[in-house]
PDB file of all heavy atoms in Angstrom:
ATOM      1  N   ASN A   1      -3.065   8.037  -4.503  1.00  0.00           N
ATOM      2  CA  ASN A   1      -3.774   8.180  -3.231  1.00  0.00           C
ATOM      3  C   ASN A   1      -4.253   6.819  -2.720  1.00  0.00           C
ATOM      4  O   ASN A   1      -4.146   6.515  -1.524  1.00  0.00           O
ATOM      5  CB  ASN A   1      -4.958   9.128  -3.401  1.00  0.00           C
ATOM      6  CG  ASN A   1      -5.735   9.308  -2.108  1.00  0.00           C
ATOM      7  OD1 ASN A   1      -5.262   9.951  -1.174  1.00  0.00           O
ATOM      8  ND2 ASN A   1      -6.930   8.758  -2.061  1.00  0.00           N
ATOM      9  N   PHE A   2      -4.794   5.990  -3.647  1.00  0.00           N
ATOM     10  CA  PHE A   2      -5.298   4.685  -3.206  1.00  0.00           C
ATOM     11  C   PHE A   2      -4.153   3.789  -2.744  1.00  0.00           C
ATOM     12  O   PHE A   2      -4.318   2.990  -1.821  1.00  0.00           O
ATOM     13  CB  PHE A   2      -6.086   4.007  -4.330  1.00  0.00           C
ATOM     14  CG  PHE A   2      -6.919   2.858  -3.845  1.00  0.00           C
ATOM     15  CD1 PHE A   2      -8.130   3.069  -3.215  1.00  0.00           C
ATOM     16  CD2 PHE A   2      -6.478   1.548  -3.986  1.00  0.00           C
ATOM     17  CE1 PHE A   2      -8.884   2.012  -2.747  1.00  0.00           C
ATOM     18  CE2 PHE A   2      -7.224   0.488  -3.526  1.00  0.00           C
ATOM     19  CZ  PHE A   2      -8.445   0.723  -2.905  1.00  0.00           C
ATOM     20  N   GLN A   3      -2.977   3.904  -3.373  1.00  0.00           N
ATOM     21  CA  GLN A   3      -1.822   3.139  -2.915  1.00  0.00           C
ATOM     22  C   GLN A   3      -1.454   3.521  -1.485  1.00  0.00           C
ATOM     23  O   GLN A   3      -1.078   2.673  -0.667  1.00  0.00           O
ATOM     24  CB  GLN A   3      -0.642   3.359  -3.864  1.00  0.00           C
ATOM     25  CG  GLN A   3      -0.847   2.777  -5.260  1.00  0.00           C
ATOM     26  CD  GLN A   3       0.231   3.182  -6.231  1.00  0.00           C
ATOM     27  OE1 GLN A   3       1.394   3.271  -5.880  1.00  0.00           O
ATOM     28  NE2 GLN A   3      -0.163   3.441  -7.482  1.00  0.00           N
ATOM     29  N   GLU A   4      -1.568   4.814  -1.165  1.00  0.00           N
ATOM     30  CA  GLU A   4      -1.305   5.250   0.207  1.00  0.00           C
ATOM     31  C   GLU A   4      -2.355   4.678   1.164  1.00  0.00           C
ATOM     32  O   GLU A   4      -2.033   4.320   2.304  1.00  0.00           O
ATOM     33  CB  GLU A   4      -1.299   6.780   0.277  1.00  0.00           C
ATOM     34  CG  GLU A   4      -0.107   7.429  -0.408  1.00  0.00           C
ATOM     35  CD  GLU A   4      -0.124   8.941  -0.254  1.00  0.00           C
ATOM     36  OE1 GLU A   4      -1.030   9.455   0.430  1.00  0.00           O
ATOM     37  OE2 GLU A   4       0.763   9.600  -0.816  1.00  0.00           O
ATOM     38  N   ILE A   5      -3.605   4.599   0.698  1.00  0.00           N
ATOM     39  CA  ILE A   5      -4.662   4.004   1.527  1.00  0.00           C
ATOM     40  C   ILE A   5      -4.318   2.551   1.861  1.00  0.00           C
ATOM     41  O   ILE A   5      -4.485   2.099   2.999  1.00  0.00           O
ATOM     42  CB  ILE A   5      -6.014   4.095   0.789  1.00  0.00           C
ATOM     43  CG1 ILE A   5      -6.455   5.556   0.648  1.00  0.00           C
ATOM     44  CG2 ILE A   5      -7.083   3.285   1.523  1.00  0.00           C
ATOM     45  CD1 ILE A   5      -7.713   5.739  -0.183  1.00  0.00           C
ATOM     46  N   ILE A   6      -3.814   1.826   0.854  1.00  0.00           N
ATOM     47  CA  ILE A   6      -3.446   0.421   1.075  1.00  0.00           C
ATOM     48  C   ILE A   6      -2.344   0.315   2.125  1.00  0.00           C
ATOM     49  O   ILE A   6      -2.423  -0.483   3.074  1.00  0.00           O
ATOM     50  CB  ILE A   6      -2.987  -0.229  -0.249  1.00  0.00           C
ATOM     51  CG1 ILE A   6      -4.148  -0.305  -1.244  1.00  0.00           C
ATOM     52  CG2 ILE A   6      -2.422  -1.627   0.002  1.00  0.00           C
ATOM     53  CD1 ILE A   6      -3.744  -0.783  -2.626  1.00  0.00           C
ATOM     54  N   VAL A   7      -1.302   1.137   1.978  1.00  0.00           N
ATOM     55  CA  VAL A   7      -0.178   1.078   2.909  1.00  0.00           C
ATOM     56  C   VAL A   7      -0.613   1.489   4.312  1.00  0.00           C
ATOM     57  O   VAL A   7      -0.218   0.870   5.311  1.00  0.00           O
ATOM     58  CB  VAL A   7       0.973   1.976   2.402  1.00  0.00           C
ATOM     59  CG1 VAL A   7       2.071   2.084   3.453  1.00  0.00           C
ATOM     60  CG2 VAL A   7       1.536   1.413   1.105  1.00  0.00           C
ATOM     61  N   ASN A   8      -1.447   2.516   4.419  1.00  0.00           N
ATOM     62  CA  ASN A   8      -1.920   2.958   5.738  1.00  0.00           C
ATOM     63  C   ASN A   8      -2.758   1.881   6.417  1.00  0.00           C
ATOM     64  O   ASN A   8      -2.659   1.691   7.638  1.00  0.00           O
ATOM     65  CB  ASN A   8      -2.730   4.246   5.598  1.00  0.00           C
ATOM     66  CG  ASN A   8      -1.860   5.438   5.211  1.00  0.00           C
ATOM     67  OD1 ASN A   8      -0.648   5.438   5.472  1.00  0.00           O
ATOM     68  ND2 ASN A   8      -2.464   6.441   4.600  1.00  0.00           N
ATOM     69  N   LEU A   9      -3.587   1.186   5.635  1.00  0.00           N
ATOM     70  CA  LEU A   9      -4.367   0.087   6.214  1.00  0.00           C
ATOM     71  C   LEU A   9      -3.427  -0.994   6.745  1.00  0.00           C
ATOM     72  O   LEU A   9      -3.622  -1.512   7.850  1.00  0.00           O
ATOM     73  CB  LEU A   9      -5.308  -0.499   5.166  1.00  0.00           C
ATOM     74  CG  LEU A   9      -6.051  -1.779   5.595  1.00  0.00           C
ATOM     75  CD1 LEU A   9      -7.058  -1.477   6.700  1.00  0.00           C
ATOM     76  CD2 LEU A   9      -6.763  -2.435   4.410  1.00  0.00           C
ATOM     77  N   SER A  10      -2.419  -1.349   5.947  1.00  0.00           N
ATOM     78  CA  SER A  10      -1.480  -2.391   6.369  1.00  0.00           C
ATOM     79  C   SER A  10      -0.748  -1.983   7.649  1.00  0.00           C
ATOM     80  O   SER A  10      -0.541  -2.805   8.553  1.00  0.00           O
ATOM     81  CB  SER A  10      -0.473  -2.661   5.246  1.00  0.00           C
ATOM     82  OG  SER A  10       0.478  -3.612   5.634  1.00  0.00           O
ATOM     83  N   ARG A  11      -0.369  -0.728   7.736  1.00  0.00           N
ATOM     84  CA  ARG A  11       0.357  -0.256   8.923  1.00  0.00           C
ATOM     85  C   ARG A  11      -0.528  -0.213  10.168  1.00  0.00           C
ATOM     86  O   ARG A  11      -0.030  -0.276  11.289  1.00  0.00           O
ATOM     87  CB  ARG A  11       0.930   1.129   8.647  1.00  0.00           C
ATOM     88  CG  ARG A  11       2.131   1.133   7.699  1.00  0.00           C
ATOM     89  CD  ARG A  11       2.515   2.543   7.322  1.00  0.00           C
ATOM     90  NE  ARG A  11       3.770   2.581   6.547  1.00  0.00           N
ATOM     91  CZ  ARG A  11       4.210   3.643   5.872  1.00  0.00           C
ATOM     92  NH1 ARG A  11       3.460   4.770   5.869  1.00  0.00           N
ATOM     93  NH2 ARG A  11       5.343   3.592   5.213  1.00  0.00           N
ATOM     94  N   SER A  12      -1.841  -0.095   9.957  1.00  0.00           N
ATOM     95  CA  SER A  12      -2.745   0.086  11.095  1.00  0.00           C
ATOM     96  C   SER A  12      -3.080  -1.211  11.815  1.00  0.00           C
ATOM     97  O   SER A  12      -3.679  -1.170  12.891  1.00  0.00           O
ATOM     98  CB  SER A  12      -4.048   0.739  10.614  1.00  0.00           C
ATOM     99  OG  SER A  12      -4.785  -0.148   9.785  1.00  0.00           O
ATOM    100  N   VAL A  13      -2.738  -2.356  11.222  1.00  0.00           N
ATOM    101  CA  VAL A  13      -3.071  -3.640  11.856  1.00  0.00           C
ATOM    102  C   VAL A  13      -1.784  -4.365  12.235  1.00  0.00           C
ATOM    103  O   VAL A  13      -0.783  -4.310  11.525  1.00  0.00           O
ATOM    104  CB  VAL A  13      -3.920  -4.527  10.917  1.00  0.00           C
ATOM    105  CG1 VAL A  13      -5.260  -3.862  10.648  1.00  0.00           C
ATOM    106  CG2 VAL A  13      -3.207  -4.812   9.619  1.00  0.00           C
ATOM    107  N   ALA A  14      -1.841  -5.023  13.389  1.00  0.00           N
ATOM    108  CA  ALA A  14      -0.660  -5.747  13.880  1.00  0.00           C
ATOM    109  C   ALA A  14      -0.691  -7.224  13.493  1.00  0.00           C
ATOM    110  O   ALA A  14       0.313  -7.919  13.623  1.00  0.00           O
ATOM    111  CB  ALA A  14      -0.576  -5.617  15.399  1.00  0.00           C
ATOM    112  N   THR A  15      -1.837  -7.708  13.025  1.00  0.00           N
ATOM    113  CA  THR A  15      -1.975  -9.122  12.672  1.00  0.00           C
ATOM    114  C   THR A  15      -1.206  -9.426  11.386  1.00  0.00           C
ATOM    115  O   THR A  15      -1.240  -8.635  10.443  1.00  0.00           O
ATOM    116  CB  THR A  15      -3.457  -9.450  12.453  1.00  0.00           C
ATOM    117  OG1 THR A  15      -4.183  -9.089  13.623  1.00  0.00           O
ATOM    118  CG2 THR A  15      -3.648 -10.927  12.183  1.00  0.00           C
ATOM    119  N   PRO A  16      -0.509 -10.559  11.308  1.00  0.00           N
ATOM    120  CA  PRO A  16       0.181 -10.928  10.060  1.00  0.00           C
ATOM    121  C   PRO A  16      -0.793 -10.988   8.890  1.00  0.00           C
ATOM    122  O   PRO A  16      -1.889 -11.549   8.989  1.00  0.00           O
ATOM    123  CB  PRO A  16       0.769 -12.313  10.369  1.00  0.00           C
ATOM    124  CG  PRO A  16       0.900 -12.338  11.848  1.00  0.00           C
ATOM    125  CD  PRO A  16      -0.240 -11.546  12.384  1.00  0.00           C
ATOM    126  N   HIS A  17      -0.402 -10.393   7.773  1.00  0.00           N
ATOM    127  CA  HIS A  17      -1.241 -10.362   6.583  1.00  0.00           C
ATOM    128  C   HIS A  17      -0.350 -10.101   5.375  1.00  0.00           C
ATOM    129  O   HIS A  17       0.842  -9.815   5.519  1.00  0.00           O
ATOM    130  CB  HIS A  17      -2.303  -9.257   6.688  1.00  0.00           C
ATOM    131  CG  HIS A  17      -1.704  -7.883   6.750  1.00  0.00           C
ATOM    132  ND1 HIS A  17      -1.205  -7.341   7.927  1.00  0.00           N
ATOM    133  CD2 HIS A  17      -1.486  -6.938   5.787  1.00  0.00           C
ATOM    134  CE1 HIS A  17      -0.714  -6.129   7.679  1.00  0.00           C
ATOM    135  NE2 HIS A  17      -0.876  -5.867   6.384  1.00  0.00           N
ATOM    136  N   GLN A  18      -0.946 -10.179   4.185  1.00  0.00           N
ATOM    137  CA  GLN A  18      -0.179  -9.889   2.975  1.00  0.00           C
ATOM    138  C   GLN A  18      -1.090  -9.284   1.915  1.00  0.00           C
ATOM    139  O   GLN A  18      -2.177  -9.793   1.649  1.00  0.00           O
ATOM    140  CB  GLN A  18       0.475 -11.156   2.412  1.00  0.00           C
ATOM    141  CG  GLN A  18       1.429 -10.879   1.242  1.00  0.00           C
ATOM    142  CD  GLN A  18       2.171 -12.126   0.793  1.00  0.00           C
ATOM    143  OE1 GLN A  18       1.562 -13.116   0.421  1.00  0.00           O
ATOM    144  NE2 GLN A  18       3.495 -12.085   0.853  1.00  0.00           N
ATOM    145  N   ILE A  19      -0.633  -8.163   1.345  1.00  0.00           N
ATOM    146  CA  ILE A  19      -1.323  -7.496   0.249  1.00  0.00           C
ATOM    147  C   ILE A  19      -0.338  -7.394  -0.916  1.00  0.00           C
ATOM    148  O   ILE A  19       0.741  -6.827  -0.768  1.00  0.00           O
ATOM    149  CB  ILE A  19      -1.797  -6.087   0.648  1.00  0.00           C
ATOM    150  CG1 ILE A  19      -2.715  -6.145   1.875  1.00  0.00           C
ATOM    151  CG2 ILE A  19      -2.513  -5.411  -0.519  1.00  0.00           C
ATOM    152  CD1 ILE A  19      -3.051  -4.778   2.446  1.00  0.00           C
ATOM    153  N   ILE A  20      -0.708  -7.948  -2.059  1.00  0.00           N
ATOM    154  CA  ILE A  20       0.125  -7.871  -3.269  1.00  0.00           C
ATOM    155  C   ILE A  20      -0.684  -7.123  -4.320  1.00  0.00           C
ATOM    156  O   ILE A  20      -1.832  -7.489  -4.588  1.00  0.00           O
ATOM    157  CB  ILE A  20       0.493  -9.276  -3.785  1.00  0.00           C
ATOM    158  CG1 ILE A  20       1.217 -10.092  -2.698  1.00  0.00           C
ATOM    159  CG2 ILE A  20       1.365  -9.172  -5.031  1.00  0.00           C
ATOM    160  CD1 ILE A  20       1.481 -11.544  -3.093  1.00  0.00           C
ATOM    161  N   PHE A  21      -0.104  -6.074  -4.889  1.00  0.00           N
ATOM    162  CA  PHE A  21      -0.801  -5.404  -5.983  1.00  0.00           C
ATOM    163  C   PHE A  21       0.193  -4.962  -7.046  1.00  0.00           C
ATOM    164  O   PHE A  21       1.381  -4.776  -6.779  1.00  0.00           O
ATOM    165  CB  PHE A  21      -1.656  -4.227  -5.480  1.00  0.00           C
ATOM    166  CG  PHE A  21      -0.904  -3.022  -5.008  1.00  0.00           C
ATOM    167  CD1 PHE A  21      -0.501  -2.013  -5.885  1.00  0.00           C
ATOM    168  CD2 PHE A  21      -0.601  -2.863  -3.660  1.00  0.00           C
ATOM    169  CE1 PHE A  21       0.167  -0.881  -5.438  1.00  0.00           C
ATOM    170  CE2 PHE A  21       0.065  -1.739  -3.200  1.00  0.00           C
ATOM    171  CZ  PHE A  21       0.463  -0.748  -4.097  1.00  0.00           C
ATOM    172  N   THR A  22      -0.335  -4.825  -8.269  1.00  0.00           N
ATOM    173  CA  THR A  22       0.476  -4.385  -9.396  1.00  0.00           C
ATOM    174  C   THR A  22       0.088  -2.953  -9.754  1.00  0.00           C
ATOM    175  O   THR A  22      -1.048  -2.529  -9.522  1.00  0.00           O
ATOM    176  CB  THR A  22       0.255  -5.293 -10.623  1.00  0.00           C
ATOM    177  OG1 THR A  22      -1.098  -5.133 -11.074  1.00  0.00           O
ATOM    178  CG2 THR A  22       0.513  -6.746 -10.277  1.00  0.00           C
ATOM    179  N   THR A  23       1.033  -2.216 -10.332  1.00  0.00           N
ATOM    180  CA  THR A  23       0.739  -0.852 -10.738  1.00  0.00           C
ATOM    181  C   THR A  23       1.692  -0.407 -11.835  1.00  0.00           C
ATOM    182  O   THR A  23       2.859  -0.812 -11.862  1.00  0.00           O
ATOM    183  CB  THR A  23       0.842   0.123  -9.543  1.00  0.00           C
ATOM    184  OG1 THR A  23       0.592   1.453 -10.009  1.00  0.00           O
ATOM    185  CG2 THR A  23       2.223   0.075  -8.908  1.00  0.00           C
ATOM    186  N   SER A  24       1.180   0.405 -12.737  1.00  0.00           N
ATOM    187  CA  SER A  24       2.033   1.070 -13.732  1.00  0.00           C
ATOM    188  C   SER A  24       2.247   2.534 -13.354  1.00  0.00           C
ATOM    189  O   SER A  24       2.927   3.261 -14.069  1.00  0.00           O
ATOM    190  CB  SER A  24       1.383   0.974 -15.122  1.00  0.00           C
ATOM    191  OG  SER A  24       0.114   1.596 -15.118  1.00  0.00           O
ATOM    192  N   MET A  25       1.599   2.953 -12.229  1.00  0.00           N
ATOM    193  CA  MET A  25       1.720   4.337 -11.755  1.00  0.00           C
ATOM    194  C   MET A  25       2.186   4.331 -10.307  1.00  0.00           C
ATOM    195  O   MET A  25       1.468   4.753  -9.404  1.00  0.00           O
ATOM    196  CB  MET A  25       0.368   5.055 -11.852  1.00  0.00           C
ATOM    197  CG  MET A  25      -0.303   5.011 -13.201  1.00  0.00           C
ATOM    198  SD  MET A  25      -1.940   5.811 -13.113  1.00  0.00           S
ATOM    199  CE  MET A  25      -2.584   5.452 -14.745  1.00  0.00           C
ATOM    200  N   LEU A  26       3.362   3.817 -10.049  1.00  0.00           N
ATOM    201  CA  LEU A  26       3.844   3.682  -8.681  1.00  0.00           C
ATOM    202  C   LEU A  26       3.970   5.057  -8.024  1.00  0.00           C
ATOM    203  O   LEU A  26       4.590   5.982  -8.562  1.00  0.00           O
ATOM    204  CB  LEU A  26       5.193   2.965  -8.661  1.00  0.00           C
ATOM    205  CG  LEU A  26       5.851   2.802  -7.292  1.00  0.00           C
ATOM    206  CD1 LEU A  26       4.963   1.975  -6.364  1.00  0.00           C
ATOM    207  CD2 LEU A  26       7.222   2.143  -7.434  1.00  0.00           C
ATOM    208  N   ASN A  27       3.388   5.157  -6.837  1.00  0.00           N
ATOM    209  CA  ASN A  27       3.546   6.378  -6.033  1.00  0.00           C
ATOM    210  C   ASN A  27       5.019   6.529  -5.672  1.00  0.00           C
ATOM    211  O   ASN A  27       5.604   5.629  -5.058  1.00  0.00           O
ATOM    212  CB  ASN A  27       2.686   6.265  -4.772  1.00  0.00           C
ATOM    213  CG  ASN A  27       2.652   7.549  -3.965  1.00  0.00           C
ATOM    214  OD1 ASN A  27       3.635   8.301  -3.922  1.00  0.00           O
ATOM    215  ND2 ASN A  27       1.526   7.786  -3.305  1.00  0.00           N
ATOM    216  N   PRO A  28       5.658   7.642  -6.053  1.00  0.00           N
ATOM    217  CA  PRO A  28       7.100   7.794  -5.777  1.00  0.00           C
ATOM    218  C   PRO A  28       7.455   7.616  -4.309  1.00  0.00           C
ATOM    219  O   PRO A  28       8.546   7.135  -3.982  1.00  0.00           O
ATOM    220  CB  PRO A  28       7.395   9.223  -6.264  1.00  0.00           C
ATOM    221  CG  PRO A  28       6.327   9.521  -7.253  1.00  0.00           C
ATOM    222  CD  PRO A  28       5.113   8.798  -6.771  1.00  0.00           C
ATOM    223  N   GLU A  29       6.553   7.994  -3.419  1.00  0.00           N
ATOM    224  CA  GLU A  29       6.847   7.857  -1.994  1.00  0.00           C
ATOM    225  C   GLU A  29       6.869   6.401  -1.543  1.00  0.00           C
ATOM    226  O   GLU A  29       7.361   6.103  -0.454  1.00  0.00           O
ATOM    227  CB  GLU A  29       5.810   8.637  -1.189  1.00  0.00           C
ATOM    228  CG  GLU A  29       5.850  10.144  -1.435  1.00  0.00           C
ATOM    229  CD  GLU A  29       4.831  10.876  -0.575  1.00  0.00           C
ATOM    230  OE1 GLU A  29       4.155  10.201   0.241  1.00  0.00           O
ATOM    231  OE2 GLU A  29       4.711  12.105  -0.710  1.00  0.00           O
ATOM    232  N   LEU A  30       6.356   5.508  -2.368  1.00  0.00           N
ATOM    233  CA  LEU A  30       6.333   4.085  -2.013  1.00  0.00           C
ATOM    234  C   LEU A  30       7.388   3.289  -2.773  1.00  0.00           C
ATOM    235  O   LEU A  30       7.432   2.065  -2.674  1.00  0.00           O
ATOM    236  CB  LEU A  30       4.950   3.494  -2.296  1.00  0.00           C
ATOM    237  CG  LEU A  30       3.768   4.176  -1.604  1.00  0.00           C
ATOM    238  CD1 LEU A  30       2.473   3.457  -1.947  1.00  0.00           C
ATOM    239  CD2 LEU A  30       3.969   4.208  -0.098  1.00  0.00           C
ATOM    240  N   ASP A  31       8.227   3.992  -3.535  1.00  0.00           N
ATOM    241  CA  ASP A  31       9.289   3.311  -4.295  1.00  0.00           C
ATOM    242  C   ASP A  31      10.438   2.977  -3.354  1.00  0.00           C
ATOM    243  O   ASP A  31      11.535   3.520  -3.441  1.00  0.00           O
ATOM    244  CB  ASP A  31       9.764   4.200  -5.449  1.00  0.00           C
ATOM    245  CG  ASP A  31      10.651   3.434  -6.432  1.00  0.00           C
ATOM    246  OD1 ASP A  31      10.826   2.205  -6.238  1.00  0.00           O
ATOM    247  OD2 ASP A  31      11.166   4.068  -7.365  1.00  0.00           O
TER     248      ASP A  31
END
């Protein structure tokens, strides 16, 4: 759920930015 929150935040802004995160529990919808 938190991974989806990260992606939704990134999609909601038009300004160039970068978010890098690591995970051992990748959300299948984000693969």
Side-chain angles (χ1 to χ4, degrees):
N1 180 72
F2 195 79
Q3 293 171 38
E4 290 182 3
I5 293 175
I6 294 173
V7 172
N8 291 336
L9 172 68
S10 177
R11 287 172 173 167
S12 68
V13 296
T15 304
H17 64 279
Q18 187 174 58
I19 303 171
I20 303 174
F21 71 87
T22 66
T23 178
S24 60
M25 307 176 186
L26 178 61
N27 187 327
E29 296 182 3
L30 303 182
D31 192 4

